[in-house]
């Protein structure tokens, strides 16, 4: 038979019965393969020789795709909102999935990909997509990829994927400078008189966060019911952090109590059941930028800055233990709090160098 095989045409030469039967069978295979190809194309699925082969042989029906694994994870996550997970966590994974589908559409002309097709090259292209196409910075890119890696780990644990495509992918987050207010800057901000009422209110909320370490999401939901006496007889804020669900217990310092009393008789806040006048995050940050300019602060004021100020200037710089600060901030991991300790240590080191320099000049 080999001497009758036409390698150029991929058929058996001649008109004998066996040649006609083999060629007819080959024609039927070609028709089925074309149908599979067209079906994958119509469904906007990735097309490859392996996928067509598996579909033809009837295999691969139980194989999972990346988006299927994402949907499986996100569905479980959604069911646990308020039970260990926050709405924001679910939203982040849904956003990551949306970006991933856009990436697949651009790079592979499909909206999904089999888990078994994931490899190191896929991840490198993904990193390039976030940094170049979406113009994300290094750390934001890694946060998106970390979300996708969690989905891959879920797939591995469920035996949907045998090999970890992230095995050789090694990158590190870049250390980010965390802005905070010095004591002089915080005092100047507190003592500033604003002719526009809304600016004064936004300043008050910001300063309140500087003395409590609360994030925007946490202070926004704060009510008088969240404040009660602790074992020491003083007032404390007892909440669960919106971002992590972790408990965050913070003593109400005198500066924070002053601000609470300033608004305790507001009819509008009493009607809304709120402790402080909170606007949308977008408006608050816009007004904070204006406040920073008015006060001559060469820093971009955000609620992150207020939280960092609490960790550094208000607590660690005044001898509060890192364990206590970590508890008050509601951190899951002490390593997160240690970032602030490094900031304080660096400031002390810089101050000591200035002192040594000054003493040398006076000698």
């Amino acid at each position: 038979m080999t001497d009758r095989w036409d390698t150029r045409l991929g058929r058996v030469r001649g008109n004998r019965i066996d040649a006609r039967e083999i060629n007819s069978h080959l024609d039927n295979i070609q028709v089925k393969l074309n149908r599979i190809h067209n079906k994958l194309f119509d469904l906007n699925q990735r097309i490859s020789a392996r996928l067509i082969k598996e579909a033809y042989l009837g295999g691969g029906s139980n194989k999972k795709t990346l988006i299927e694994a994402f949907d499986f994870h996100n569905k479980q996550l959604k069911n646990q909102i308020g039970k260990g997970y926050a709405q924001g966590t679910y939203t982040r994974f849904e956003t990551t999935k949306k970006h991933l589908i856009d990436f697949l559409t651009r790079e592979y002309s499909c909206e999904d990909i089999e888990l078994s097709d994931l490899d190191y090259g896929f991840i490198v292209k993904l990193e390039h997509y976030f940094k170049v196409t979406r113009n994300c910075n290094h750390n934001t890119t890694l946060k998106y990829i970390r979300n996708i890696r969690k989905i891959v780990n879920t797939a591995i644990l469920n035996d949907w994927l045998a090999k970890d495509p992230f095995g050789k992918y090694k990158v590190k987050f870049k250390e980010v400078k965390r802005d905070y207010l010095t004591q002089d800057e915080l005092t100047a901000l507190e003592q500033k008189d604003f002719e526009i009422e809304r600016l004064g209110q936004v300043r008050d909320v910001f300063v309140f966060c500087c003395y409590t370490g609360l994030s925007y999401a946490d202070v926004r939901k704060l009510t008088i019911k969240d404040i009660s006496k602790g074992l020491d007889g003083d007032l404390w804020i007892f909440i669960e952090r919106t971002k992590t669900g972790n408990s965050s217990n913070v003593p109400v310092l005198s500066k924070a109590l002053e601000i609470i009393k300033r608004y305790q008789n507001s009819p509008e806040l009493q009607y809304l059941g709120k402790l402080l006048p909170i606007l949308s995050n977008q408006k608050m940050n816009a007004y904070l930028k204006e406040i920073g300019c008015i006060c001559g602060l060469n820093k971009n004021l955000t609620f992150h800055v207020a939280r960092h100020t609490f960790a550094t200037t208000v607590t660690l710089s005044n001898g509060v233990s890192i364990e206590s600060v970590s508890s008050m901030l509601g951190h899951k991991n002490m390593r997160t709090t240690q970032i602030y300790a490094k900031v304080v240590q660096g400031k002390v080191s810089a101050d000591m160098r200035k002192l040594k320099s000054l003493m040398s000049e006076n000698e």
Side-chain angles (χ1 to χ4, degrees):
M1 179 68 71
T2 55
D3 60 330
R4 297 164 55 198
W5 180 255
D6 189 328
T7 55
R8 185 175 63 84
L9 297 175
R11 303 176 68 82
V12 180
R13 289 191 294 267
N15 198 34
R16 291 166 52 175
I17 294 177
D18 61 345
R20 290 200 301 270
E21 288 179 348
I22 292 173
N23 289 336
S24 177
H25 182 62
L26 291 173
D27 289 337
N28 288 334
I29 291 175
Q30 185 63 52
V31 169
K32 290 180 180 179
L33 293 176
N34 287 338
R35 287 175 180 171
I36 293 170
H37 178 279
N38 293 336
K39 184 176 180 180
L40 290 173
F41 180 81
D42 292 338
L43 293 173
N44 199 28
Q45 298 293 310
R46 187 184 180 198
I47 299 173
S48 68
R50 185 181 60 77
L51 290 175
I52 294 175
K53 176 184 176 182
E54 289 177 349
Y56 175 79
L57 296 176
S61 57
N62 294 323
K63 293 194 174 184
K64 293 285 186 181
T65 66
L66 182 55
I67 300 303
E68 285 176 342
F70 239 111
D71 288 337
F72 173 83
H73 170 272
N74 288 7
K75 182 178 180 181
Q76 288 190 320
L77 188 59
K78 187 176 183 180
N79 292 334
Q80 297 180 70
I81 293 175
K83 302 174 183 177
Y85 290 94
Q87 174 67 40
T89 305
Y90 170 74
T91 302
R92 284 198 301 275
F93 275 94
E94 280 290 296
T95 301
T96 303
K97 186 182 80 170
K98 183 184 71 174
H99 291 329
L100 179 60
I101 292 174
D102 181 62
F103 162 73
L104 289 170
T105 303
R106 291 170 181 267
E107 188 67 33
Y108 296 95
S109 300
C110 63
E111 294 185 354
D112 204 353
I113 187 173
E114 284 199 11
L115 288 167
S116 56
D117 284 337
L118 301 182
D119 55 18
Y120 180 79
F122 176 88
I123 300 166
V124 171
K125 291 178 182 178
L126 192 61
E127 181 181 340
H128 181 271
Y129 163 79
F130 280 115
K131 287 184 176 180
V132 178
T133 305
R134 301 217 65 85
N135 197 30
C136 297
N137 63 36
H138 178 77
N139 285 359
T140 301
T141 294
L142 294 193
K143 286 177 182 179
Y144 279 123
I145 293 180
R146 183 176 59 186
N147 290 343
I148 296 170
R149 185 168 194 168
K150 184 181 180 185
I151 304 303
V152 170
N153 288 339
T154 299
I156 293 172
L157 292 172
N158 282 280
D159 294 325
W160 300 336
L161 183 62
K163 185 178 180 181
D164 183 5
F166 285 92
K168 296 180 180 179
Y169 184 74
K170 306 294 181 184
V171 289
K172 291 184 178 181
F173 284 92
K174 293 180 180 179
E175 189 169 333
V176 178
K177 179 185 176 184
R178 294 174 182 263
D179 272 338
Y180 63 94
L181 298 185
T182 64
Q183 186 59 62
D184 289 342
E185 290 171 332
L186 180 56
T187 300
L189 184 62
E190 292 175 53
Q191 295 177 349
K192 181 67 176 179
D193 289 326
F194 292 96
E195 296 180 359
I196 303 175
E197 183 180 9
R198 61 173 169 80
L199 294 182
Q201 291 179 346
V202 172
R203 183 273 312 275
D204 288 344
V205 175
F206 178 84
V207 170
F208 180 84
C209 290
C210 287
Y211 284 104
T212 59
L214 297 183
S215 66
Y216 168 80
D218 292 333
V219 75
R220 183 182 184 185
K221 68 178 184 180
L222 203 61
T223 69
I224 193 64
K225 295 180 181 179
D226 297 315
I227 300 177
S228 57
K229 286 188 177 181
L231 296 176
D232 57 2
D234 293 332
L235 292 177
W236 285 66
I237 298 172
F238 297 96
I239 63 167
E240 287 188 354
R241 289 213 60 212
T242 302
K243 182 178 180 180
T244 63
N246 287 5
S247 295
S248 177
N249 306 329
V250 186
V252 182
L253 300 177
S254 58
K255 296 292 183 68
L257 185 59
E258 287 178 15
I259 295 173
I260 292 174
K261 290 180 177 179
R262 194 172 299 163
Y263 295 96
Q264 65 182 359
N265 295 321
S266 167
E268 182 180 357
L269 292 178
Q270 290 177 352
Y271 174 77
L272 295 173
K274 299 294 183 180
L275 193 69
L276 298 173
I278 309 294
L279 305 175
S280 70
N281 196 19
Q282 184 178 8
K283 287 184 177 180
M284 294 287 276
N285 283 325
Y287 293 152
L288 281 174
K289 186 175 182 179
E290 187 176 349
I291 289 170
C293 291
I294 294 173
C295 294
L297 299 176
N298 191 26
K299 293 175 181 176
N300 181 28
L301 297 187
T302 66
F303 281 94
H304 290 301
V305 173
R307 191 165 162 83
H308 301 334
T309 301
F310 174 78
T312 54
T313 302
V314 175
T315 55
L316 289 171
S317 292
N318 287 301
V320 179
S321 72
I322 191 171
E323 292 82 7
S324 296
V325 175
S326 183
S327 174
M328 288 186 287
L329 291 174
H331 283 164
K332 283 185 175 182
N333 195 316
M334 183 72 72
R335 285 180 297 180
T336 306
T337 320
Q338 286 171 342
I339 295 172
Y340 299 110
K342 289 180 181 179
V343 172
V344 173
Q345 187 178 18
K347 182 179 181 299
V348 171
S349 179
D351 289 344
M352 289 303 295
R353 283 197 297 270
K354 290 180 181 178
L355 178 60
K356 288 179 181 179
S357 177
L358 182 61
M359 291 177 67
S360 297
E361 292 176 0
N362 294 332
E363 287 179 355

